[in-house]
């Protein structure tokens, strides 16, 4: 018989407000960066006009249909659901003195619904969206005013939900600002590295302040960071490739280093000097950074390779990160390379580096599904993907890594982040909607729904 996961291990799924809620102008919600990019985080930024269309405007209408969805999650046996709070529901412009009651009340209803089924919420404070008002008035994270506004927002939601939410995360995939500055830090895409790293610094300071506030207001809560776990392997064993890989892995590990250790790592000194980057860091900033997170969370979808060989570098591809394909791995329909063992490697690497508990808060396969004539969806490819990754999580636990839980991405079909596609589905629950926004939004259970239900009820013993 297969080994069980620890009884305390949390099982569930993860969604983000802007990819499921819809209701983008309901109950006083302000415009967010996500609303201004209806084609996704790599799409164009547009000016919204009355009556125009964006697929996220309705998304899967989770805002109104969450009771049905939470019930389905409970049927699968979820003990945790990761979602985000849309900052613009609480502070529509970002700089108001007081939070918006209608926005707070919506999340009260959502968390109460989850509590009915003993599903623990895990809440991301900012998942790929921020108030457009803060960019328009202050220049987004280029400004220190945004740090204060974020702290006010974080304190408001800690205060309001302190008895309902014990697991918090600061910024989703905080390292993505290096690749999508508008989504990450509210800067124009063409911003130079000096501007991007200064804005990132402000966000790291804000993250430190949020950790401090959470510890004050929710003393028995835990607050973590969220990294895009973009593990890179050397393409060859040439020392130059190995060194380049170390450097490129540090570009994203840097965020975790600051959030865990409370200061900039030594290697960044040279990195900044060689790029003529000079950061404004105040004494107060240094103190704010010294608020280490309680646990590390990360997303894991794929790995890639690194080389200094120019010819090989021409082959780099990908729609979120541009990476050199690994000749030993197969790819998803979207070119993301499938590497279950990489998850065990990454868990070990992060635990060796930080000795902090880890939480896998995103993992999954984006794929096109076929609805059969009888309405069934036989998504064996998704089952295989999740199964193989969970087997490696269990291996990592056996290795001694402290893993708190696993929330697969998009347990219910949702709008994809990079290109706002609906046909790229991650769910165990199918939603009737297409890329143009047609469909009834009806929910149906896929084959993977019953499979995941069994995995959870057997604490992983049913994995093959
Ligand atoms: C992560 C994000 O990058 O990957 C999610 O945190 C996103 O918001 C997920 O949806 C998958 O990416 P995509 O582009 O397939 O939706």
């Amino acid at each position: 018989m297969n080994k069980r996961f620890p009884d305390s291990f949390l099982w569930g799924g993860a969604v983000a407000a802007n990819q499921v809620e819809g209701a983008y102008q309901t109950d006083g919600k302000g415009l967010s960066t996500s609303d201004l990019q209806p084609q996704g985080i790599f799409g164009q930024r547009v000016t919204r006009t009355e009556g125009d269309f964006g697929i996220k405007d309705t998304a899967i209408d989770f805002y109104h249909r969450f009771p049905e969805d939470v019930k389905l999650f409970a049927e699968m046996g979820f003990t945790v659901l990761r979602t985000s709070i849309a900052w613009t529901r609480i502070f529509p412009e970002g700089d108001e003195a007081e939070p918006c009651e209608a926005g707070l009340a919506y999340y009260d209803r959502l968390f109460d619904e989850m509590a009915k089924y003993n599903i623990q919420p895990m809440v991301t404070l900012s998942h790929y969206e921020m108030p457009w008002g803060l960019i328009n008035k202050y220049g987004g994270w280029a400004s220190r005013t945004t740090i204060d506004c974020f702290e006010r927002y974080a304190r408001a939601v800690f205060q309001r939900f302190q008895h309902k939410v014990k697991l918090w995360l600061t910024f989703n995939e905080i390292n993505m600002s290096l690749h999508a500055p508008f989504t990450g830090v509210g800067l124009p895409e063409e911003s130079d590295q000096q501007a991007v790293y200064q804005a990132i610094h402000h966000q790291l300071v804000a993250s430190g302040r949020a950790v401090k506030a959470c510890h004050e207001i929710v003393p028995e809560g835990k607050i973590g960071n969220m990294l895009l776990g973009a593990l890179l392997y050397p393409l060859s064993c040439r020392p130059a490739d190995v060194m380049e890989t170390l450097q490129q892995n540090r570009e994203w590990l840097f965020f975790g280093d600051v959030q865990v250790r409370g200061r900039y790592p030594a290697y960044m000194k040279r990195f900044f000097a060689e790029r003529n980057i000079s950061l404004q860091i105040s004494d107060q900033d240094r103190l704010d950074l010294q608020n280490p997170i309680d646990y590390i969370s990360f997303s894991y979808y794929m790995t890639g390779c690194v080389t200094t060989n120019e010819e090989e570098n021409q082959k780099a591809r990908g729609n979120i990160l541009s990476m050199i394909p690994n000749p030993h791995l197969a790819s998803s329909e979207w070119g993301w390379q499938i590497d279950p063992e990489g998850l065990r490697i990454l868990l070990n690497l992060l635990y060796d580096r930080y000795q902090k508990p880890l939480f896998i808060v995103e993992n999954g396969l984006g794929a096109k599904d076929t609805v059969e004539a009888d309405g069934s969806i036989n998504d064996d490819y998704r089952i295989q993907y999740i199964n193989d990754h969970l087997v490696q999580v269990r291996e990592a636990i056996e290795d001694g890594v402290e893993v708190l839980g696993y929330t697969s991405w998009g347990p219910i079909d949702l709008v994809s982040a990079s290109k706002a596609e609906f046909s790229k589905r991650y769910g165990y629950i199918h939603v009737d909607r297409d890329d143009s926004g047609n469909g009834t939004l009806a929910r149906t259970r896929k084959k993977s729904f019953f499979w995941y239900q069994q995995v959870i009820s057997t604490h992983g013993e049913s994995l093959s």
Side-chain angles (χ1 to χ4, degrees):
M1 173 156 319
N2 282 318
K3 290 196 190 75
R4 278 166 76 94
F5 280 65
D7 286 345
S8 59
F9 190 86
L10 294 170
W11 296 93
V15 299
N18 73 87
Q19 292 173 259
V20 294
E21 286 177 359
Y24 89 112
Q25 287 180 308
T26 304
D27 290 337
K29 181 183 167 300
L31 281 181
S32 72
T33 42
S34 166
D35 298 324
L36 297 187
Q37 287 190 306
Q39 302 298 328
I41 61 178
F42 294 113
Q44 268 195 328
R45 195 199 317 172
V46 302
T47 311
R48 298 307 303 262
T49 51
E50 198 64 37
D52 62 357
F53 172 79
I55 197 154
K56 287 180 279 182
D57 300 353
T58 308
I60 61 165
D61 195 27
F62 186 76
Y63 192 80
H64 299 106
R65 295 172 190 240
F66 70 83
E68 181 190 352
D69 297 339
V70 170
K71 193 164 179 230
L72 285 164
F73 297 147
E75 194 182 321
M76 272 188 281
F78 281 22
T79 49
V80 63
L81 176 69
R82 172 179 175 233
T83 187
S84 62
I85 293 180
W87 185 350
T88 48
R89 289 200 192 283
I90 314 301
F91 288 94
E93 287 289 304
D95 62 351
E96 292 87 347
E98 296 300 328
C100 168
E101 177 52 34
L104 291 169
Y106 160 65
Y107 290 105
D108 263 328
R109 293 196 297 279
L110 173 61
F111 301 144
D112 289 347
E113 196 64 26
M114 289 162 63
K116 275 192 202 166
Y117 304 98
N118 289 320
I119 298 177
Q120 200 181 144
M122 168 188 260
V123 172
T124 315
L125 291 167
S126 177
H127 188 127
Y128 279 180
E129 60 183 333
M130 68 180 290
W132 165 242
L134 291 180
I135 296 171
N136 204 14
K137 286 189 209 163
Y138 310 108
W141 287 98
S143 162
R144 285 176 175 272
T145 305
T146 300
I147 308 179
D148 297 332
C149 293
F150 179 79
E151 185 179 356
R152 190 178 315 142
Y153 156 63
R155 284 184 178 271
V157 295
F158 293 151
Q159 204 69 49
R160 176 68 167 235
F161 305 121
Q162 56 181 303
H163 302 297
K164 299 180 183 179
V165 181
K166 304 295 180 189
L167 288 173
W168 295 89
L169 297 173
T170 52
F171 296 95
N172 182 63
E173 295 188 338
I174 187 166
N175 45 317
M176 261 303 277
S177 299
L178 298 174
H179 312 281
F182 182 67
T183 296
V185 280
L187 291 190
E189 300 299 355
E190 59 282 5
S191 302
D192 63 17
Q193 284 197 320
Q194 166 70 39
V196 171
Y197 274 101
Q198 184 67 50
I200 284 171
H201 170 70
H202 293 154
Q203 205 168 63
L204 287 167
V205 168
S207 170
R209 287 210 217 161
V211 171
K212 183 164 186 272
C214 184
H215 289 159
E216 281 166 19
I217 303 167
V218 200
E220 70 289 13
K222 284 191 170 69
I223 182 160
N225 65 345
M226 196 314 199
L227 300 168
L228 191 173
L231 181 65
L232 296 166
Y233 302 138
L235 186 64
S236 78
C237 51
R238 285 192 316 129
D241 281 0
V242 177
M243 190 62 217
E244 183 60 23
T245 307
L246 173 71
Q247 311 261 37
Q248 290 198 23
N249 275 323
R250 278 174 165 175
E251 287 182 25
W252 66 270
L253 285 164
F254 147 72
F255 294 82
D257 288 352
V258 176
Q259 291 176 305
V260 171
R261 302 195 183 113
R263 58 187 148 72
Y264 280 65
Y267 59 79
M268 286 310 273
K269 202 171 163 195
R270 178 169 183 178
F271 178 93
F272 289 143
E274 287 181 352
R275 289 161 181 79
N276 286 323
I277 296 170
S278 159
L279 298 185
Q280 300 292 314
I281 304 178
S282 71
D283 289 345
Q284 184 58 45
D285 289 352
R286 288 184 218 284
L287 290 175
D288 289 336
L289 290 179
Q290 283 168 31
N291 286 289
I293 46 168
D294 302 313
Y295 63 105
I296 292 155
S297 90
F298 64 92
S299 61
Y300 178 82
Y301 293 93
M302 61 190 144
T303 51
C305 294
V306 170
T307 179
T308 56
N309 180 311
E310 267 319 303
E311 213 176 300
E312 292 291 342
N313 273 317
Q314 302 301 325
K315 298 181 193 160
R317 60 164 200 235
N319 70 340
I320 281 208
L321 302 177
S322 185
M323 304 204 274
I324 296 171
N326 185 328
H328 306 287
L329 298 175
S331 299
S332 78
E333 289 168 270
W334 270 264
W336 294 16
Q337 288 207 289
I338 302 170
D339 182 10
E341 244 180 304
L343 180 53
R344 176 180 176 188
I345 296 168
L346 181 58
L347 284 162
N348 274 280
L349 182 146
L350 291 172
Y351 200 63
D352 286 354
R353 195 176 181 105
Y354 300 123
Q355 291 88 46
K356 289 260 184 196
L358 305 176
F359 209 125
I360 304 143
V361 296
E362 284 188 34
N363 171 238
L365 180 72
K368 290 193 173 122
D369 289 334
T370 307
V371 184
E372 306 296 343
D374 64 357
S376 63
I377 297 157
N378 299 306
D379 53 344
D380 292 303
Y381 34 89
R382 185 168 293 110
I383 292 174
Q384 187 75 55
Y385 181 101
I386 307 263
N387 179 87
D388 296 352
H389 283 77
L390 281 171
V391 165
Q392 295 299 325
V393 175
R394 192 171 47 204
E395 288 297 323
I397 293 172
E398 290 289 302
D399 293 334
V401 179
E402 194 181 348
V403 190
L404 299 174
Y406 175 87
T407 54
S408 68
W409 178 248
I412 182 165
D413 292 344
L414 41 68
V415 184
S416 84
S418 35
K419 292 195 187 148
E421 294 158 295
F422 210 94
S423 46
K424 189 181 190 186
R425 296 170 184 273
Y426 286 87
Y428 308 116
I429 301 164
H430 179 265
V431 177
D432 179 25
R433 205 168 189 219
D434 66 16
D435 285 337
S436 315
N438 303 311
T440 62
L441 290 172
R443 279 62 167 152
T444 42
R445 299 164 183 81
K446 303 182 194 177
K447 186 173 178 184
S448 56
F449 180 100
F450 303 101
W451 172 84
Y452 196 45
Q453 185 182 51
Q454 207 196 358
V455 171
I456 297 175
S457 69
T458 62
H459 294 263
E461 275 177 1
S462 63
L463 292 167
S464 52

